[in-house]
């Protein structure tokens, strides 16, 4: 995308969900800026134009205040504006070259379902074009906490949903844990499938799934998942009283829901629509009660009772690596990634490139890429990727998919070459590797 002069940070502080949020702004390079907001979705680093409305969505407005009912910038109190309308609450950025200030906001939350964590801040130019953006992430010292990541990857070629559900949770060294941020990005299988189905209940089930995820008969699909996860035996005294459970469990009382009942406390999800971000106070990723190793089951549309699609909850590693690729006259990064994924047999969300770090080197002869390998098999993906670029060939796909046989004519060769490499020995000119 376009280069930006904006540098700096916005920090959010909230001790508990019952207190207001303090914000500290330290931004420079704002000449030409106009409005700025918090938008609904996080920034995807692999997109060339990551700030677009189609990716980040509209201004975050969980209470449906809307622009029509909001007063002009700054005259009103924070609750009179959409939660994400920062320039409405605190003034536009016109005529400013830098912004160093702080505010106190009683409507902006870092806890609960209206949390801004996992969403994005977007700064606009004066003429309303989106200029720059960044994800609102947790800030913590490694000496105080660590972040856990998990993913339910729906990538079976014969499955009934395509995409992922990603989860992150902060574990403090005193034993406490944060809410879990959940990102849902699902569509129906097929490169050109535009089907859209609504109101799917979703839940954590007690067991992992396998080949049963692709059974064609709806009422026998995902049977290995077992039953809804209820480790604390919620409502055990009267388990068949479903009316009582529906009265007790809901967004206002999430701890009265079964731990596995995601739709009970977060609401339903859609397949084929835009991404969604949720914040869940009862989705543990570690400890004696942990969702890791279990499965997420998506039920049929319109709150139907049958299991529609399922995938296992597994660790979501992030292995990163710099690689230099020799440029051809028609070299395009997106096409390079598509070709690599096809040979390796992996979906796009398990191998991405941070477009912000892409560089042209050696007078245009090479392209340097920062590649992210994600998911439970991230280390193996990195090794297969290195082997593929060094030798130009990968004998077998990188992912084992239960019950699926890859076509015998699967593409196994790649024509791209490493830049500055002795292709017989596979030496890299630049090869930096670490795990985040």
């Amino acid at each position: 995308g376009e280069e930006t002069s904006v540098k700096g940070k916005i920090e959010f502080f909230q001790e508990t969900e019952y207190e207001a949020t303090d914000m500290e702004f330290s931004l420079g390079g704002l000449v030409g800026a106009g409005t700025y907001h918090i938008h609904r979705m996080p920034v995807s680093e692999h997109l060339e134009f990551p700030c677009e409305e189609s990716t980040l969505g509209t201004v975050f407005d969980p209470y449906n205040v809307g622009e029509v009912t909001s007063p002009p910038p700054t005259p009103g109190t924070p609750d009179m504006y959409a939660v994400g309308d920062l320039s409405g609450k605190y003034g536009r950025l016109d005529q400013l070259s830098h912004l160093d200030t702080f505010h106190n906001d009683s409507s902006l939350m870092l806890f609960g379902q209206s949390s801004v964590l996992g969403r994005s801040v977007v700064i606009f130019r004066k003429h309303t074009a989106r200029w720059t953006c960044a994800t609102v992430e947790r800030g913590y010292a490694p000496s105080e906490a660590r972040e856990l990541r998990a993913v339910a990857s729906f990538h079976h070629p014969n499955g009934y949903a395509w995409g992922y559900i990603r989860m992150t949770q902060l574990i403090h060294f005193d034993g406490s844990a944060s809410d879990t941020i959940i990102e849902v990005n699902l569509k129906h299988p097929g490169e050109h499938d535009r089907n859209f189905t609504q109101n799917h209940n979703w839940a954590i089930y007690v067991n992992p799934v396998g080949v049963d995820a692709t059974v064609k008969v709806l009422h026998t699909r995902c049977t290995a998942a077992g039953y809804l996860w209820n480790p604390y035996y919620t409502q055990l005294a009267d388990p068949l009283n479903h009316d009582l459970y529906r009265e007790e469990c809901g967004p206002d009382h999430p701890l009265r829901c079964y731990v596995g009942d995601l739709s009970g406390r977060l609401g339903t999800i859609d397949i084929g629509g835009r991404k969604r971000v949720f914040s869940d106070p009862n989705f543990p990723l570690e400890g004696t009660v942990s969702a890791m190793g279990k499965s997420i089951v998506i039920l049929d549309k319109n709150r139907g009772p049958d299991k529609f699609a399922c995938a296992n909850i597994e660790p979501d590693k992030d292995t990163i690596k710099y690689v230099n690729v020799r440029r051809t006259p028609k070299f395009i990064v997106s096409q390079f990634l598509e070709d690599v994924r096809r040979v390796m047999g992996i979906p796009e969300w398990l191998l991405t490139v941070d477009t912000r770090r892409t560089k042209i080197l050696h007078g245009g002869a090479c392209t340097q890429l920062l590649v992210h390998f994600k998911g439970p098999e991230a280390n193996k993906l990195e090794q297969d990727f290195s082997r593929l670029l060094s030798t130009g060939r990968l004998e077998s796909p990188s992912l084992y998919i239960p019950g699926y046989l890859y076509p015998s004519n699967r593409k196994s060769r790649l024509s791209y070459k490493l830049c500055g490499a002795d292709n017989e020995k596979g030496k890299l000119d630049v090869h930096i590797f670490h795990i985040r």
Side-chain angles (χ1 to χ4, degrees):
E2 179 186 359
E3 288 291 329
T4 175
S5 61
V6 179
K7 305 292 181 184
K9 61 183 178 179
I10 302 174
E11 293 185 284
F12 304 85
F13 305 91
Q14 187 180 27
E15 293 292 333
T16 71
E17 59 188 303
Y18 305 107
E19 299 181 39
T21 298
D22 297 321
M23 291 177 289
E24 294 184 5
F25 297 80
S26 179
L27 298 171
L30 295 176
V31 174
T35 60
Y36 63 119
H37 316 125
I38 297 173
H39 286 243
R40 296 168 54 198
M41 297 298 130
V43 176
S44 298
E45 78 276 348
H46 64 280
L47 296 177
E48 185 177 358
F49 300 99
C51 302
E52 296 304 306
E53 193 269 344
S54 59
T55 303
L56 302 184
T58 54
V59 176
F60 182 50
D61 186 15
Y63 307 121
N64 297 315
V65 174
E67 292 184 14
V68 176
T69 58
S70 298
T74 67
T77 56
D79 59 290
M80 300 173 70
Y81 302 87
V83 169
D85 187 5
L86 300 181
S87 51
K89 299 175 185 179
Y90 312 123
R92 293 170 57 96
L93 301 175
D94 302 87
Q95 314 303 323
L96 295 178
S97 61
H98 63 277
L99 179 66
D100 292 290
T101 187
F102 62 90
H103 293 285
N104 182 277
D105 194 327
S106 58
S107 67
L108 191 149
M109 301 292 292
L110 300 182
F111 297 90
Q113 293 192 37
S114 299
S115 170
V116 299
L117 283 171
R119 307 187 193 277
S120 56
V121 174
V122 182
I123 298 177
F124 288 70
R125 286 190 178 277
K126 289 181 181 179
H127 50 75
T128 72
R130 298 181 181 221
W131 191 13
T132 187
C133 54
T135 299
V136 181
E137 298 179 320
R138 298 183 179 95
Y140 61 95
S143 60
E144 298 176 347
R146 55 194 173 85
E147 188 174 62
L148 296 179
R149 300 181 183 186
V151 63
S153 181
F154 294 78
H155 60 260
H156 199 297
N158 296 330
Y160 295 89
W162 185 260
Y164 61 84
I165 298 176
R166 279 199 158 104
M167 300 133 273
T168 61
Q169 184 179 36
L170 203 63
I171 305 295
H172 298 275
F173 291 140
D174 64 2
S176 60
S178 72
D179 291 355
T180 297
I181 304 301
I182 307 169
E183 179 186 345
V184 179
N185 186 12
L186 295 170
K187 71 182 193 71
H188 290 273
E191 185 176 354
H192 304 292
D193 194 308
R194 296 294 181 267
N195 285 331
F196 175 65
T197 53
Q198 295 178 287
N199 296 322
H200 292 264
N201 284 323
W202 53 314
I204 305 169
Y205 275 57
V206 293
N207 298 322
V209 294
V211 295
D212 55 305
T214 62
V215 173
K216 292 184 178 181
V217 180
L218 191 62
H219 69 272
T220 60
R221 194 178 302 162
C222 301
T223 53
Y227 50 88
L228 192 67
W229 187 35
N230 182 23
Y232 301 125
Y233 305 110
T234 303
Q235 203 182 318
L236 189 62
D238 195 4
L240 299 180
N241 191 338
H242 301 299
D243 291 336
L244 174 62
Y245 177 75
R246 282 191 288 269
E247 289 178 9
E248 293 276 314
C249 164
D252 295 334
H253 300 94
L255 300 183
R256 291 297 301 150
C257 302
Y258 303 154
V259 177
D261 188 4
L262 299 175
S263 47
R265 59 181 177 271
L266 302 177
T268 59
I269 59 174
D270 304 329
I271 298 179
R274 291 189 172 185
K275 289 194 293 186
R276 296 276 305 276
V277 171
F278 301 91
S279 180
D280 191 344
N282 201 16
F283 196 128
L285 296 179
E286 186 181 75
T288 55
V289 175
S290 171
M292 202 74 77
K294 296 176 171 53
S295 58
I296 288 184
V297 175
I298 300 171
L299 303 182
D300 207 3
K301 62 184 177 182
N302 299 323
R303 297 182 172 86
D306 292 317
K307 300 181 181 73
F308 178 76
C310 50
N312 296 329
I313 302 172
E314 300 178 287
D316 190 17
K317 302 175 184 177
D318 188 2
T319 300
I320 63 176
K321 172 177 184 169
Y322 281 97
V323 62
N324 290 356
V325 181
R326 187 178 301 167
R327 289 177 62 86
T328 59
K330 296 183 179 180
F331 180 83
I332 301 173
V333 173
S334 59
Q335 186 62 52
F336 165 75
L337 289 174
E338 185 177 331
D339 293 341
V340 169
R341 291 172 185 141
R342 184 181 297 112
V343 173
M344 295 180 66
I346 57 178
E348 59 268 24
W349 56 89
L350 296 184
L351 190 153
T352 63
V353 163
D354 189 340
T355 57
R356 299 167 297 182
R357 304 291 183 88
T358 300
K359 296 180 181 178
I360 307 300
L361 303 178
H362 307 310
C366 306
T367 296
Q368 185 181 77
L369 304 173
L370 178 58
V371 185
H372 287 253
F373 307 91
K374 300 182 180 181
E377 301 293 333
N379 293 349
K380 183 179 186 300
L381 298 185
E382 185 276 328
Q383 293 168 6
D384 285 355
F385 176 84
S386 298
R387 186 180 304 112
L388 176 60
L389 285 189
S390 297
T391 66
R393 183 179 178 86
L394 192 64
E395 294 296 337
S396 59
S398 299
L399 290 183
Y400 166 71
I401 301 178
Y404 180 71
L405 296 177
Y406 286 90
S408 58
N409 61 347
R410 179 192 72 88
K411 184 179 179 182
S412 61
R413 295 182 180 274
L414 199 67
S415 60
Y416 299 95
K417 304 293 183 182
L418 293 172
C419 196
D422 179 342
N423 291 319
E424 293 183 359
K425 297 181 180 179
K427 294 180 180 177
L428 276 170
D429 181 34
V430 178
H431 184 163
I432 305 171
F433 166 76
H434 67 275
I435 299 176
R436 186 171 66 184

